[in-house]
Each structure stands twice: as structure tokens, then as C-alpha cells.
Amino acid sequence: MANLFVRDLREIAQGLPENPSEWPHIPCPTCKRAGLTLVPDSLVHEEAATSEAAYSHQEWYPDWIYGGFHCILQCHKKTCDRVRVVGRTSVYLERNEEGYQTLFSPLFFMPELPLVESFGDCPRLVRQRIEAASTVLWADPSSAANRLRSAVEALMDHHGIPRRGFSNAKSYDLSLHRRIERFKTVKPEYAQAADLMLAVKWTGNAGSHGSAIRVSDVLDAVEILDRTLHYIYDTSAEEIRRKAADIIARKGMPASQFTNLPMPPF
Ligand SMILES: [Zn+2]
């Protein structure tokens, strides 16, 4: 199934328009169901002093304007945490009569927005590292890519894939690439998951080596990692199979009445 959070986050990455009623669905980190809306009067934005100082430049143009904003978002469920947002502002030219409009580009959400809907039986450390990627996703996508890569390292640890190899009586560090290949060899039932993890590793490597990783690149890696977790840790398909077998065994009778009613032959 497609990761709907990633779809929402891709829209947020385009920037939030000046009119909050046009903001995309922002998933609630607490219930992971509803969308967040702006707390009335909580949005504050101002132009940077250095932006105003640039007006005197002879080549100044309105799209040089920039600044900062902060606001509070809330879920319609009162038991969900409110979310604080900090970010940058820029301006864009609206095609209709509106002229220049402010664009809000979030840098931090606190608490962080969800990336994965269900972690199944995924180990706690893998989950923590994926959530840690969301914390820095907007401000430092390269760092977020690295955190996803470290989630794959934790996944290898969980499956007992050694960190060190031996050759000529000497031990050496195994690269993550080699560990994933070893995982594929010893657990061929997860071969598809291993191939996906290699892609997450490459994105993480690119982030470490100074390549310009964008939010959209990280979200690609999140989608791939989400599918990997689905292959390895999702137990819902087995639960559904067990439920179906149980209903067939009871021939459709409610479980509470099963012992008291005569059984139809077919
Ligand atoms: Zn909520």
C-alpha cells in the first residue's frame, strides 16, 4: 500500500501558501489519522532585517524578500499534542490578481511529523532512528538520509548480521553494503527487502559525501524503507489468514455462540 504520509509530506515540501485554508493535509503525529489545522492567531511572520536592507540595491526585485515564521497546529482530537512549527518565508508571484504572496517553508515540526503508519514488530531502535530522521528532514535532508541509513544498520544488527568479517586470521569492518549482501544470502526469504535496503544505503552514502540531498530524495528512501519493514515485520497478513481460518472452522457462526449451536453440515 502507498505511504500516504509521504504523499502529504511531498506537498508540504513545496511550501505552504499564504492562505492557511489552502494548506495541504498535515498528518497529526499523535493519532496519525487526522490532519492538523492552524491555531487561530498563532501564525507570526516577519521580514528579515537583512531583506529590508536590500531594498536600496539597484537591482532589487520583490522576489528577493525573505523572512521567518512560527505557528501552532492542532488536531481536532483534544487528546492529541499540539505541534509547533518554525520556518522560512519567501514570496512568489500569484498568476491571478493577488500579486506577490508569502510562501511558508517549514524547517522544524515539534513533535516531528510521522513517516511510517505502522511499524509492525519492527525493533525499537530501527523505529527510533526512522523517527529521528523526521526531526531533521526539513532543515537538514542529508542528515535525515544518514539516519535512515543507520536504521538499516540497526536492522542488520537485529538479524544478527555481524559488523566485522575475518580474512587471513585478521578481522575487519564490514561495510553496510556487504552486511546487506550477507543478509540476503543467509535469509533468502527476504531477498526483495535486501535489494530495497541497498537503495536506502546509497541515499545515506550520498548524504554523507556532501551530495545535495533534497527532501524529496529522503522521502523516496522513506517509502522504500517502509516497504522493507512491510516485507520483514508486518504480521497483519498472517493475522488475517488466521482469522479467516478460524471463521471457516466455525462455519461462520459467531465465536460466542459456537459451543451452543448445532453445526450446519456445509
Ligand atoms: Zn490527532
Side-chain angles (χ1 to χ4, degrees), residues 16 20 23 37-47 67-73 83-89 102-110:
L16 307 173
W23 288 9
T37 54
L38 185 66
V39 171
D41 301 325
S42 73
L43 177 61
V44 176
H45 65 102
E46 63 179 15
E47 187 177 352
F69 80 97
H70 56 88
C71 66
I72 303 174
L73 305 175
V83 175
R84 279 152 177 84
V85 190
V86 177
R88 290 195 193 100
T89 60
T102 303
L103 185 71
F104 302 102
S105 301
L107 288 176
F108 288 102
F109 290 87
M110 190 188 80

Side-chain angles (χ1 to χ4, degrees), residues 4-51:
L4 298 180
F5 293 147
V6 167
R7 193 183 67 181
D8 291 338
L9 269 46
R10 284 193 200 284
E11 283 194 53
I12 296 166
Q14 304 296 315
L16 307 173
E18 183 163 318
N19 183 352
S21 68
E22 295 173 7
W23 288 9
H25 186 267
I26 304 176
C28 171
T30 310
C31 68
K32 292 188 170 185
R33 284 277 173 268
L36 301 170
T37 54
L38 185 66
V39 171
D41 301 325
S42 73
L43 177 61
V44 176
H45 65 102
E46 63 179 15
E47 187 177 352
T50 46
S51 172

Side-chain angles (χ1 to χ4, degrees), residues 27-36 74-81:
C28 171
T30 310
C31 68
K32 292 188 170 185
R33 284 277 173 268
L36 301 170
Q74 65 185 358
C75 180
H76 70 86
K77 288 177 73 176
K78 297 303 169 210
T79 50
C80 290
D81 291 335

Side-chain angles (χ1 to χ4, degrees), residues 239-255 258 263-266:
E239 282 167 22
I240 295 288
R241 263 197 298 275
R242 221 176 9 246
K243 270 185 193 164
D246 186 40
I247 291 170
I248 291 167
R250 287 187 275 109
K251 297 187 175 176
M253 289 195 190
F258 178 60
M263 208 56 149
F266 295 103

Side-chain angles (χ1 to χ4, degrees), residues 113-127:
L113 300 186
L115 297 178
V116 171
E117 181 171 355
S118 170
F119 285 91
D121 291 337
C122 171
R124 179 188 293 263
L125 187 57
V126 175
R127 178 181 181 147

